[in-house]
Amino acid sequence: MSEIESPPRRSIVKVVGASMIGTTIEWYDYFLFGLAASLVFNKLFFPGFDPLVGTILALGTFAIGFLARPLGGLVFGHFGDKVGRKKLLVLSLLMMGGATFAMGLLPTYGSIGLAAPLLLILLRLLQGFALGGEWGGAVLMVSEHGDARRRGFWASWPQAGAPGGNLLATGVLAILASVQSDAAFEAWGWRIPFLLSGLLVLIGLWIRLSVAESPVFLEAARKAREQVVPEKPPIVRVLRDGWRQILIASGARFAENVSYYVITAFILVYITTELDLPKAAGLNAVLIGSAIHFVSIPAWGWLSDILGRRIVYIFGASGMLVWSFVLFALLDTTSQGAMVLAVSVGLVLHGAMYAPQAAFFAELFGTRVRYTGASIGYQLASIIAGGLAPLIATALLAATGSSLAISFYVAATCVLTIVAVYLAKETRGSSLGEEHDTEAEAADSAAERAADRASVTT
């Protein structure tokens, strides 16, 4: 099937559903760790420290998972470009689910001492490695099955798996927190959501195995087999010819990644330690905000098909720059309504960056290096952006005693993202069935920016 032709609606809906459900389950596993790190891991795995210091150590294990994500993106991307998207998506789901289920069985520091946090770190690294390969495969399966005209909309649905997973993880923890005492939750209740992952993985695995391989990849693989000269490894080709696209993707990720983890993970620390409010206040705000976020993402994806990827992305980053200062002012009121508003608006603005990201990154790279290039660009920023965001925000709060420094931190990342996306070429409507000439694209992009500057000057 040619990419120009619109795929049968039933076919694309099936692919989108399989990708989104699998992504939701994997993000559930990943976010569950972040929520638990913010709420209980400081007491269970790092006892004996000041509460804020213990929280910083617990969030440090959260950040460690991000170190493995670029490696996972590289390994999964390489084999995904060599043998196909589907096989690697199944493997990533099994790895993530297995690591999360094992966390639910993990003894605490009180039982086995130092081995407990070390095992926690090992399992977190495995989670990060699996998630590093998950994102690229999920969005490419949808992008490469769909048509160019509606790619932004369809590819945004796997992106909705992130708030879907966060919604699921936060909802389970919120229910447990409401029906259990703090003592019961810390003793055994926190294990339930981790063990639940085993059932969710079986469901996701059954759904993913029913989806066909990407037709765009199959066609590119067929042409590659017919070549007389063997192809160089995807990583070699993408670093040689696509390094500029990797930098653009990483820069575009910065504000999106930092703002998301500040809004969904760090504010739980801020609300419970700085504002001295119960866990439920923060969990409920994130729960409602995640539901609104889930709905907003496909809407932003649809809009990116009409207006273009860049304009929607830059609008989200610009709005987040302003909202980073409003966010904490609303939280400081300690009003539940104001906290819900703070989180919800922040996540809607985040959605304006996150929704077009899937199609945007897929359109930056050619088919035979797309999994590798998109995964590296996406995950490279994760180490110093999302992974360190809750840790940096907590450290800034401890050092200054004020949220203002955190607002400036988020705003600075927004400036970086705006510049990166502005320097990119508009990709809406690109054909994924044709290999990209990266040098020609760079020249075209430079020519377009020169024309834009000349037009403004005139």
Side-chain angles (χ1 to χ4, degrees):
M1 180 188 69
S2 171
E3 188 202 20
I4 314 173
E5 301 169 358
S6 296
R9 183 175 178 84
R10 184 177 179 182
S11 171
I12 188 64
V13 169
K14 181 179 180 181
V15 173
V16 168
S19 293
M20 190 185 75
I21 290 172
T23 304
T24 299
I25 293 169
E26 294 213 37
W27 278 115
Y28 164 83
D29 292 345
Y30 204 72
F31 286 139
L32 185 60
F33 188 100
L35 291 168
S38 300
L39 297 173
V40 295
F41 279 180
N42 59 330
K43 300 174 184 176
L44 298 174
F45 294 94
F46 302 97
F49 291 94
D50 173 83
L52 195 57
V53 175
T55 300
I56 290 175
L57 291 173
L59 290 175
T61 63
F62 174 77
I64 282 172
F66 286 79
L67 294 176
R69 283 173 62 171
L71 180 59
L74 178 62
V75 173
F76 277 81
H78 170 80
F79 287 103
D81 282 328
K82 298 287 285 185
V83 303
R85 320 319 194 189
K86 180 178 175 178
K87 295 183 180 69
L88 276 298
L89 279 175
V90 170
L91 180 60
S92 70
L93 184 63
L94 289 172
M95 289 179 65
M96 175 68 82
T100 306
F101 186 82
M103 286 178 182
L105 302 173
L106 198 62
T108 62
Y109 187 92
S111 301
I112 60 173
L114 187 60
L118 291 178
L119 287 172
L120 184 68
I121 289 170
L122 179 63
L123 292 173
R124 181 58 175 173
L125 287 170
L126 187 58
Q127 275 192 330
F129 184 81
L131 191 65
E134 154 66 22
W135 180 86
V139 301
L140 293 189
M141 281 291 280
V142 177
S143 296
E144 293 179 347
H145 270 89
D147 63 285
R149 187 168 59 88
R150 293 173 294 180
R151 185 182 300 129
F153 172 71
W154 290 121
S156 69
W157 281 98
Q159 299 291 78
N166 199 15
L167 184 65
L168 190 59
T170 307
V172 171
L173 285 175
I175 291 172
L176 290 172
S178 65
V179 300
Q180 290 183 312
S181 65
D182 286 346
F185 182 77
E186 291 173 12
W188 58 270
W190 67 272
R191 297 182 183 275
I192 295 175
F194 288 87
L195 297 176
L196 180 62
S197 175
L199 175 62
L200 296 177
V201 166
L202 292 178
I203 296 172
L205 189 62
W206 174 69
I207 294 171
R208 276 199 169 163
L209 287 172
S210 68
V211 176
E213 180 58 87
S214 155
V216 173
F217 168 79
L218 291 175
E219 176 63 16
R222 182 189 65 78
K223 291 180 179 179
R225 287 193 297 270
E226 295 174 354
Q227 292 180 2
V228 177
V229 180
E231 289 183 329
K232 285 185 169 58
I235 182 61
V236 174
R237 284 180 286 142
V238 79
L239 291 179
R240 181 193 62 197
D241 301 325
W243 59 269
R244 182 177 179 276
Q245 286 88 332
I246 290 175
L247 291 178
I248 285 173
S250 295
R253 274 275 284 165
F254 235 85
E256 174 268 306
N257 216 211
V258 168
S259 63
Y260 187 75
Y261 286 105
V262 167
I263 293 171
T264 60
F266 169 72
I267 68 160
L268 296 177
V269 177
Y270 187 79
I271 287 171
T272 55
T273 61
E274 185 70 12
L275 302 182
D276 199 25
L277 296 174
K279 301 191 280 288
L283 287 171
N284 290 336
V286 173
L287 189 65
I288 295 171
S290 294
I292 296 172
H293 191 209
F294 180 87
V295 174
S296 74
I297 285 178
W300 287 119
W302 169 79
L303 197 60
S304 78
D305 283 330
I306 298 173
L307 301 178
R309 318 296 184 217
R310 292 167 72 225
I311 190 169
V312 175
Y313 213 121
I314 289 174
F315 172 81
S318 302
M320 187 63 73
L321 189 155
V322 176
W323 196 252
S324 63
F325 294 93
V326 180
L327 175 71
F328 290 99
L330 289 173
L331 294 178
D332 288 342
T333 66
T334 69
S335 162
Q336 184 68 66
M339 287 190 285
V340 169
L341 179 64
V343 173
S344 299
V345 174
L347 289 179
V348 168
L349 291 170
H350 171 270
M353 294 182 279
Y354 199 54
Q357 190 178 90
F360 181 39
F361 287 12
E363 291 160 347
L364 286 173
F365 301 94
T367 305
R368 295 294 289 164
V369 298
R370 185 170 293 131
Y371 202 150
T372 304
S375 294
I376 293 175
Y378 183 88
Q379 303 298 349
L380 198 59
S382 299
I383 301 177
I384 51 179
L388 294 180
L391 191 61
I392 290 174
T394 304
L396 287 172
L397 179 64
T400 66
S402 169
S403 62
L404 190 60
I406 304 168
S407 297
F408 277 112
Y409 162 55
V410 175
T413 66
C414 291
V415 173
L416 175 61
T417 289
I418 291 169
V419 171
V421 177
Y422 173 76
L423 293 175
K425 179 184 178 182
E426 177 55 59
T427 61
R428 178 186 54 156
S430 300
S431 173
L432 297 188
E434 300 172 2
E435 290 299 316
H436 293 274
D437 182 343
T438 54
E439 292 183 1
E441 285 182 344
D444 289 345
S445 183
E448 284 181 1
R449 292 195 302 275
D452 289 343
R453 287 193 294 270
S455 175
V456 171
T457 304
T458 304

